[in-house]
Amino acid sequence: MIDQFINFVIRPPRADYNPEQYLWEKEFTLAGRQFKRQDLELTNARAHKLRCSHYLPSPFPEETPLPCVIYCHGNSGCRADANEAAVILLPSNITVFTLDFSGSGLSDGDYVSLGWHERDDLKIVVSYLRSERQISRIGLWGRSMGAVTSLLYGAEDPSIAGMVLDSAFSNLFDLMMELVDVYKIRLPKFTVKMAVQYIRRVIQKKAKFDIMDLNCLKVAPKTFIPALFGHASEDKFIQPHHSDLIFKSYAGDKNVIKFDGDHNSSRPQFYYDSVSIFFFNVLRPPQISSACSSKLEKYYDLGDLKVGAGMDESLLYEIITGIETESTNVPSSSSAAPRVLMTKPVSELVSEVAPLARLDPMLTRNIRPDSDEQSNSQDKPNGQSDECCSYTSSNRESWGRCSSLGGSDEESSAECTAANNGNQVTLDVLATPLKGTQQKSSGPPKEEKKKQKKQKKQKKRDSTTPKPKHEKLEKLEALSKRLRLCILKRVSHRRQGST
């Protein structure tokens, strides 16, 4: 029985696995992005080969170092335990490094030490990452034995940005005494203490460490690294009061999360969310702009419209996204007419978005409807008032904002600056929604005139009642969709003239 207890401490069941089957693939996609698994071997101070894996973006962003979290597994675990950590952290631009500690998994070594020698293995990994220019800050995430390993190492290296300590034990000797009661080993107390002393000597001889030195309560008051503690409330192997004792004596910024489950149960989602937020705050991963710009270029594929050649790309994106984000009742923050630099196809683009009333020198003046014209706009056969979409560049630093959208009938013109064959010409065009378009017809029949008169009378009656806001929003959404489709050259819209 004593030999079984010794093996329970230093030689628990060892994970034997196939990396190609139990780890993430060499190349894989996560959250719409490409990542890769880089396998490597490191050698510790005892000449043991450590099998390691590093999960990185593919390709790695140039001249942008990313933070890294080292995942430390439990006494019977391996680097496959870090698969969940990769899912949580990689989308936040945080790389994940994991390893088989000496005596665990596929690494060399015959025994584990529940954190004592694993601390030296972790030191080798940190030194390797420090030598890599790709890595900025480093965090530690340990579970059970890995949590003790992280805490022991963190007391020696204050440069660690943060630690997540899941189910750490406070003192190995006390834990062993508790396990005697948990597994109901019926022996007198003095006999148990004698047995523990015998186990201590055997472990010193085989695994080369003293179980009495594994005491996290000695290092916690000297550690100032931000830490997030976690423990399952029904854990019978390492009971929750161990984390409570460490948490109470810990000197750094700290927080603790208790959740349902036992020692080996899967952790709930809110715990993983807390871990993700914690590492995001302490590691401060950069927001890679190249990923954002590539998504925008893919979404706003302009086809034949050449972006960047005489055209401000950010302005175009602001116009498109601003139409969707602003409501029709937001007042304009600038009284100046909008100006957008475009290439020659701008006239074709505008003609697809809204019909041009005229495109001659008479449009060089700003057209503003007076009160009579406003009343006439309500008398149109389709019963819809002409609404304009204006853009202002007063908030250039916040792209995607549109300060004014056709909720006002007082502004019905949009001024564009177009480059025609290299020469910039300022054009004022009347931009109206497609639904509010009325094509002029030369001499309609008498029957149609009578119908129009009846419709005018009916629309005058309807105009007395205010239109609900949701109708304007629907019109605006329809306009934004048509505008996007026109710019993207995806669908050719055909306008049908109203009777």
Side-chain angles (χ1 to χ4, degrees), residues 365-431:
R365 70 180 186 277
N366 290 332
I367 303 175
R368 294 183 179 273
D370 54 14
S371 59
D372 294 335
E373 292 175 345
Q374 291 180 5
S375 61
N376 292 335
S377 65
Q378 297 176 353
D379 297 340
K380 291 185 178 181
N382 56 8
Q384 296 177 353
S385 61
D386 289 343
E387 296 178 1
C388 72
C389 173
S390 62
Y391 163 77
T392 177
S393 59
S394 59
N395 293 326
R396 193 68 65 84
E397 69 277 2
S398 175
W399 78 270
R401 293 192 59 187
C402 183
S403 60
S404 176
L405 296 173
S408 173
D409 292 331
E410 296 179 358
E411 295 182 4
S412 61
S413 65
E415 182 182 7
C416 299
T417 303
N420 187 7
N421 295 330
N423 299 325
Q424 293 184 353
V425 180
T426 302
L427 300 177
D428 291 344
V429 297
L430 180 63

Side-chain angles (χ1 to χ4, degrees), residues 269-373:
Q269 184 60 42
F270 79 88
Y271 173 73
Y272 287 134
D273 294 339
S274 301
V275 171
S276 177
I277 295 172
F278 171 80
F279 277 127
F280 187 86
N281 290 333
V282 298
L283 297 179
R284 300 177 184 177
Q287 300 302 312
I288 302 176
S289 59
S290 60
C292 298
S293 61
S294 63
K295 289 182 179 179
L296 287 175
E297 291 174 359
K298 182 178 180 181
Y299 187 77
Y300 298 111
D301 185 8
L302 302 181
D304 296 335
L305 189 62
K306 302 299 181 181
V307 179
M311 178 175 135
D312 193 342
E313 180 180 0
S314 63
L315 295 183
L316 179 60
Y317 291 163
E318 289 185 38
I319 294 174
I320 297 173
T321 57
I323 292 177
E324 295 180 330
T325 55
E326 293 290 338
S327 64
T328 58
N329 293 325
V330 177
S332 175
S333 61
S334 175
S335 59
R339 294 178 178 270
V340 181
L341 289 178
M342 288 189 176
T343 54
K344 184 177 179 179
V346 66
S347 60
E348 300 176 1
L349 178 63
V350 176
S351 65
E352 292 176 356
V353 176
L356 300 180
R358 302 185 195 89
L359 194 59
D360 52 20
M362 294 181 64
L363 290 176
T364 56
R365 70 180 186 277
N366 290 332
I367 303 175
R368 294 183 179 273
D370 54 14
S371 59
D372 294 335
E373 292 175 345

